[in-house]
Amino acid sequence: MTTRRAVLKGGAAALALAGLGAAGAASSSALAGKTEWERLQRRLTGRLVLPSSGDYDLAKQLHRTMFDGIRPAGVAYCETVGDVRACLSFAQHNGVPAVPRSGGHSYGGYSTTEGLVIDVSRLNTVQVGEHATVVGPGAQLTDLVDAAGAHGVGLASGICPTVAMGGYLQGGGIGWQTRSLGLGCDSLESVQVVLADGSVVTCSEHQHQDLFWALRGGGGGNFGIVTRYERRNSTIPGMVNYTLAWDWDHVKDVVEGWQRWLPGAPREMSGRCLLGLLNAAPDATPLLITDGTFLGSPEDLDAHLDALVSAIGRAPAARDAEDLGFRDGMMSWFKCSDKTVAQCHRVGHNPEATLPRAGFQIDRSRLFKEAVPSSGVDEILAAFDAERRAGHIRFIHLFALGGAASDVPRTATAYVHRDARFSVDLATVLPPVMDNDEERAAARAWIDRAFTVTDQYSAHETYQNYIDPDLADWRQAYYAENYPRLVKAKRTYDPHGFFDFAQSIG
């Protein structure tokens, strides 16, 4: 297969034919000189931020501060499809590595580079039509929920308000509506993509079907840069958020009962079982809750919550339900009920934004097709409680899948995990005052050991949007039997491997 470096030379010819060539190509082994960067800026409708720019430190940020040490040679804020094409032309003519960035939430930091960051956050339109909604890759979940909710439309959405559509939909897109509406990518009608050679294609079930298949679960940054999605609308009659809190002494009953309850729960109901230590000091009592959403009325929800309590065999310490509807219910999950939409963005996104960035955090996840046996629950609980360290934050949560997402066969889209019943997601977080090498090593040691214990009972598959740099089996874990077809699509649409990162397809 032709190497990525070859395309830095060879792909330039195709881009020149499209009228996007840049004169004075530099060596592919070195980054471009000042003149070439200035020429790129003149070609852009948007803005090019260089290390000498006053706002460079803001422009290079991802969601997590742990990647702040990576210093891109430039960040291009693309405002048009033409801007994206110009960036690809520049990168290939000048031997500059380039990656797309929409929301900057990659757990592996794969949406940044020491080369050119092609930022599509300003391609953030949300246009709600009668039957479909057109969404830009830079539209964040909070923008989508607000715009769709205002028109009485419901779209499958994720959990974090500042995740953008660019990566969310390409990775599949799970969230509170997965069981009822399917994955986010299941609503896609068409996708507009700029390929590495600068061509702009629209793919759907009727054109470029193999690319359309790959973009529904293949993961962001693999095949091209998406500039437009068209999503089929759904109607949500109502949405009720619920939370049940439990005494930690009953944790095994809760985890086992939640697993027993899930297969019989209606698909209108999402669910999570969360174990948390906000301070992992030896004497701290963990948090234990089950929560989720129900697409229906509070009266209908009551019976289903009664069934959950019955399966657990214990009465909760607290039980609460809020009938907020789709828009306000999602804003509640985002912790933005008291905020405007502008405020419900990460600081720096706009002048009113208030949400903080994340710091040092490691996430690891596996998918499950069957309930964890009683002995396995004991082992996972012991791993959660092991190696307590004051100040550290740790979570394990089980997140319900299945329902409408499982109506689609494993190979019908690139998202292969259709038969997963739930995920088990682990996270460890350090407060800023504790972020040092020693504490990082301790946090990593805990999560790696807990992951090893948990993985014994999993399907050995991982949701690709929860990308994990430490997975040795990532090809099998993310894509399983769909990987060979993804490689074939990669060779068709990015034959020289221009879009390249540590866990890229190909």
Side-chain angles (χ1 to χ4, degrees):
M1 182 178 178
T2 305
T3 66
R4 177 184 185 279
R5 189 163 297 280
V7 79
L8 299 177
K9 291 285 191 181
L15 288 160
L17 290 174
L20 294 169
S27 167
S28 63
S29 63
L31 297 185
K34 180 179 178 182
T35 301
E36 284 76 20
W37 288 103
E38 290 173 345
R39 186 176 289 117
L40 174 60
Q41 175 62 89
R42 290 194 297 270
R43 301 178 71 86
L44 297 178
T45 302
R47 183 161 176 263
L48 177 66
V49 179
L50 301 175
S52 58
S53 304
D55 56 348
Y56 173 78
D57 285 342
L58 174 62
K60 72 181 180 70
Q61 290 180 359
L62 299 187
H63 179 64
R64 295 183 177 181
T65 63
M66 59 192 287
F67 301 114
D68 282 355
I70 301 173
R71 297 182 60 81
V75 178
Y77 285 103
C78 297
E79 296 186 1
T80 66
V81 173
D83 284 354
V84 175
R85 300 178 75 200
C87 287
L88 290 172
S89 172
F90 166 84
Q92 295 187 49
H93 271 82
N94 293 287
V96 177
V99 298
R101 183 181 75 186
S102 51
H105 281 259
S106 169
Y107 286 176
Y110 297 148
S111 47
T112 191
T113 174
E114 292 182 348
L116 175 64
V117 173
I118 304 174
D119 184 282
V120 294
S121 62
R122 296 183 182 179
L123 296 172
N124 59 359
T125 185
V126 181
Q127 298 175 342
V128 184
E130 183 178 358
H131 302 293
T133 296
V134 173
V135 182
Q140 298 184 5
L141 287 175
T142 186
D143 305 316
L144 178 73
V145 164
D146 180 66
H151 289 81
V153 169
L155 292 169
S157 305
I159 298 170
C160 175
T162 60
V163 163
M165 293 298 100
Y168 173 74
L169 292 173
Q170 289 182 69
I174 67 173
W176 291 121
Q177 292 84 37
T178 295
R179 289 172 49 77
S180 54
L181 301 180
L183 301 170
C185 73
D186 292 341
S187 68
L188 288 175
E189 298 280 358
S190 68
V191 184
Q192 183 186 76
V193 192
V194 183
L195 302 179
D197 67 1
S199 60
V200 182
V201 302
T202 298
C203 58
S204 68
E205 293 285 7
H206 308 292
Q207 52 187 342
H208 300 287
Q209 293 97 327
D210 49 348
L211 180 60
F212 188 57
W213 176 88
L215 290 174
R216 290 174 292 161
N222 275 300
F223 302 98
I225 300 179
V226 170
T227 50
R228 178 183 182 272
Y229 295 105
E230 182 185 16
R231 297 186 64 180
R232 183 175 58 256
N233 291 343
S234 297
T235 300
I236 295 180
M239 191 174 91
V240 186
N241 295 351
Y242 70 87
T243 302
L244 284 71
W246 307 83
D247 292 331
W248 182 253
D249 290 344
H250 302 152
V251 60
K252 185 175 182 182
D253 292 333
V254 172
V255 172
E256 292 187 337
W258 185 90
Q259 292 184 98
R260 285 193 297 270
W261 162 81
L262 180 58
R267 60 177 54 194
E268 293 81 10
M269 196 163 189
S270 67
R272 175 177 65 172
C273 179
L274 185 146
L275 293 63
L277 272 167
L278 302 182
N279 179 348
D283 59 346
T285 301
L287 170 77
L288 177 62
I289 64 172
T290 54
D291 57 4
T293 66
F294 177 68
L295 302 188
S297 69
E299 293 75 24
D300 290 338
L301 171 63
D302 276 341
H304 301 306
L305 291 182
D306 289 344
L308 172 59
V309 172
S310 177
I312 290 171
R314 302 276 187 175
R319 173 169 165 169
D320 181 63
E322 292 184 287
D323 185 8
L324 298 174
F326 173 69
R327 190 269 181 196
D328 290 347
M330 290 302 298
M331 291 296 279
S332 178
W333 286 117
F334 296 160
K335 302 294 186 285
C336 288
S337 294
D338 59 344
K339 296 177 175 61
T340 65
V341 174
Q343 291 171 334
C344 193
H345 287 86
R346 190 169 66 240
V347 170
H349 176 273
N350 67 74
E352 298 177 46
T354 63
L355 302 186
R357 298 174 69 200
F360 178 83
Q361 179 171 336
I362 303 173
D363 297 81
R364 308 203 67 184
S365 178
R366 281 302 205 195
L367 293 159
F368 289 71
K369 300 179 183 180
E370 303 291 341
V372 179
S374 180
S375 60
V377 172
D378 286 335
E379 290 183 58
I380 292 171
L381 293 176
F384 173 76
D385 198 51
E387 304 166 54
R388 293 282 197 105
R389 200 168 179 98
H392 284 222
I393 301 166
R394 61 177 65 166
F395 294 99
I396 294 180
H397 68 79
L398 292 71
F399 193 87
L401 301 170
S406 296
D407 292 343
V408 180
R410 278 175 63 93
T411 59
T413 67
Y415 183 90
V416 75
H417 317 296
R418 298 292 183 168
D419 49 352
R421 184 182 296 180
F422 59 90
S423 65
V424 175
D425 311 313
L426 302 89
T428 180
V429 182
L430 290 178
V433 295
M434 297 187 68
D435 189 359
N436 58 56
D437 290 345
E438 178 184 354
E439 299 298 343
R440 285 188 175 199
R444 182 171 294 281
W446 171 79
I447 199 169
D448 287 348
R449 281 190 276 270
F451 177 83
T452 298
V453 170
T454 303
D455 193 28
Q456 298 175 88
Y457 304 99
S458 80
H460 307 300
E461 294 181 5
T462 296
Y463 174 42
Q464 45 268 50
N465 272 351
Y466 293 166
I467 205 159
D468 184 346
D470 293 322
L471 278 182
D473 65 341
W474 62 268
R475 295 172 183 84
Q476 174 67 26
Y478 300 152
Y479 307 117
E481 65 265 31
N482 285 344
Y483 190 71
R485 184 175 174 185
L486 284 164
V487 171
K488 184 178 180 180
K490 176 76 168 180
R491 291 174 178 170
T492 300
Y493 292 97
D494 184 19
H496 305 295
F498 176 77
F499 295 105
D500 181 43
F501 57 94
Q503 292 183 348
S504 58
I505 291 166

